[in-house]
Amino acid sequence: MVDEVNPFESLQEQIDDAAEYLDADEGMIDRLKQPERVLETTLSVEMDDGSIETFRAYRSEFNGDRGPYKGGIRYHPGVNRAEVKALSGWMVYKCAAVDIPYGGGKGGIEIDPSEYSESELERITRTFATELRPLIGEDKDIPAPDVNTGQREMDWIKDTYETLEDTTEPGVVTGKSLDNGGSKGRVEATGRSVSITAREAFEYLDRDISEATVAVQGYGNAGSIGARLIEDQGADVVAVSDSSGAVYDPDGLDARAVKEHKSETGSVVGYEGASRQLTNEELLTLDVDILVPAALENAIDADLAEDVSADVIVEAANGPLTPDADDVLADRDVYVVPDILANAGGVTVSYFEWVQNRQRFAWTEQRVNEELERLVTDAFDAMTTAYEERGTPNFRTAMYTVSIQRVLDAAEKSGLFP
Ligand code: NAD
């Protein structure tokens, strides 16, 4: 992990790179590079032993030109203001990439959740939800899961909000359990867009994904499901990692079996079907066709990018490449499917969940997956068209030109007020 790169500066650099290809007012572009507001708050929570602990927490609302702020809530010791601002900005351009009517937001608590009991985590989450109450709402700002949060936390936030507001408003958060208004297909959605975009990239390059080898960094929700769905297309997932290390088999691991091993033991390490272990760095430079970084930001910097051997990188994680790494990879003709498209399945099915909540009508899983396929492939086509017509150096800048133009069009038609 490369710590010195500020993810917020990476975001701003990505916007500047794309703006060069657009005929846009400089002031309007500057406006798209800063969050509209950031809540920074301290949560004071009673622990099981009666002591009080405090936690730093954030919610950034980046831009609402295209609709309510939308974005996840992360629990991680590395959460900080710059990270939350960057993640909220990436959400704006991600929602615009798949053309869903949302702006971008993101939140997080600086915490290692593995050190707390379930009842402590519930009190911490409900305290955060209470702080968020003035900001959130199904037409205002809609949280969702991110790293180390899931259905359980979303159900607590929904319940806290509805209790305090004396209402029922399931669309106030997405990523809820099915029993509480969640959508079929939501858990798989991020991995599904990773696998759809991997397939589309291979088609674009006139290559057959069923002959591809794949390495996945980070075997959590996005990584393990992405791996499974790429494997289902006939590819061989040869290496996967988590924070404890990596496992490898040149003939292919069994993505489902590795996941089972991780669920039982807490790690992919020790999986018996692997021929050997690798370090996390060895995994990132392995000679494979597709590399899927699915852990955290800044996993690959310019130095490491020189040693990446994959032909295609599909960014399941948010911001896994530094801007310098992007430049190196573009020079080396490595195709990168950017995070704002590759992992947009999560927010897209979150959007479907919100639509279903408002309709009070649940869709079938087939409908969810078909609509997801349509929005993600449309976005992929918009990106490759921009790549060819605008002559951008890589897919990322092309996707940003499409997204930024969509946000600019909405802002321009609304006008600035006051
Ligand atoms: P997760 O907590 O389920 O999984 C993260 C995995 O990464 C864990 O297995 C962890 O052990 C591993 N990891 C952490 N540091 C690592 C390292 N240095 N090397 C190798 N592995 C490491 O989280 P997730 O929900 O899968 O999210 C992963 C990434 O995908 C994040 O960047 C997140 O923002 C992004 N993302 C997730 C979703 C979603 O719906 N889950 C949607 C969009 C984007």
Side-chain angles (χ1 to χ4, degrees), residues 74 146-148 186 190 217-222 241-243 262 280 294-295 316-318 343:
R74 175 177 291 196
D146 192 79
V147 174
N148 292 328
R186 174 63 184 86
T190 303
Q217 181 217 26
Y219 214 57
N221 173 292
S241 68
D242 60 25
S243 43
K262 182 169 165 71
N280 279 325
N318 287 306
N343 70 31

Side-chain angles (χ1 to χ4, degrees), residues 30 65 68 81 118 125 192 225 261 283 290 356 378 391 407:
D30 275 347
D65 286 332
R81 197 179 173 94
E118 180 160 0
T125 304
R192 194 169 290 281
I225 295 172
H261 177 82
L283 178 137
I290 305 176
Q356 294 169 71
D378 282 356
V407 179

Side-chain angles (χ1 to χ4, degrees), residues 168-184:
T168 56
E169 196 177 311
V172 66
V173 285
T174 58
K176 303 177 291 292
S177 65
L178 278 177
D179 297 321
N180 260 317
S183 175
K184 296 198 173 76

Side-chain angles (χ1 to χ4, degrees), residues 21-39:
Y21 295 86
L22 296 172
D23 181 20
D25 181 271
E26 213 176 299
M28 287 300 276
I29 294 291
D30 275 347
R31 186 176 160 274
L32 299 188
K33 285 165 56 182
Q34 298 287 345
E36 290 174 13
R37 65 187 68 82
V38 183
L39 169 79

Side-chain angles (χ1 to χ4, degrees), residues 394-408:
N394 55 28
F395 281 168
R396 185 188 317 280
T397 303
M399 193 75 259
Y400 269 93
T401 63
V402 173
S403 294
I404 292 172
Q405 191 59 58
R406 287 178 176 160
V407 179
L408 285 172

Side-chain angles (χ1 to χ4, degrees), residues 1 74 76 87 91 94 106 145-149 186-191 193 216-224 240-246 259 262 266 268 280-281 283-284 293-297 299 315-320 339 342-347 350:
M1 181 84 63
R74 175 177 291 196
H76 194 271
L87 290 164
M91 287 306 296
K94 187 180 304 186
K106 204 78 170 196
D146 192 79
V147 174
N148 292 328
T149 60
R186 174 63 184 86
V187 173
E188 295 80 20
T190 303
S193 64
V216 181
Q217 181 217 26
Y219 214 57
N221 173 292
S224 68
V240 305
S241 68
D242 60 25
S243 43
S244 310
K259 179 67 188 168
K262 182 169 165 71
V268 299
N280 279 325
E281 181 159 333
L283 178 137
L284 294 170
L296 293 172
E297 299 92 77
E315 291 185 325
N318 287 306
D339 47 5
N343 70 31
V347 73
S350 272

Side-chain angles (χ1 to χ4, degrees), residues 322-393:
T322 66
D324 290 348
D326 244 358
D327 295 341
V328 170
L329 293 164
D331 286 347
R332 296 187 51 224
D333 293 328
V334 177
Y335 282 83
V336 178
V337 182
D339 47 5
I340 59 168
L341 171 59
N343 70 31
V347 73
T348 304
V349 176
S350 272
Y351 165 59
F352 299 155
E353 178 177 333
W354 180 78
V355 169
Q356 294 169 71
N357 291 156
R358 308 192 70 149
Q359 293 176 332
R360 300 289 206 251
F361 181 76
W363 298 0
T364 62
E365 188 161 354
Q366 187 185 354
R367 179 169 177 196
V368 169
N369 290 343
E370 283 171 5
E371 297 282 6
L372 175 63
E373 169 85 25
R374 182 173 66 82
L375 292 188
V376 172
T377 51
D378 282 356
F380 194 93
D381 291 346
M383 176 181 77
T384 49
T385 303
Y387 177 65
E388 287 166 13
E389 289 181 355
R390 295 185 166 133
T392 60

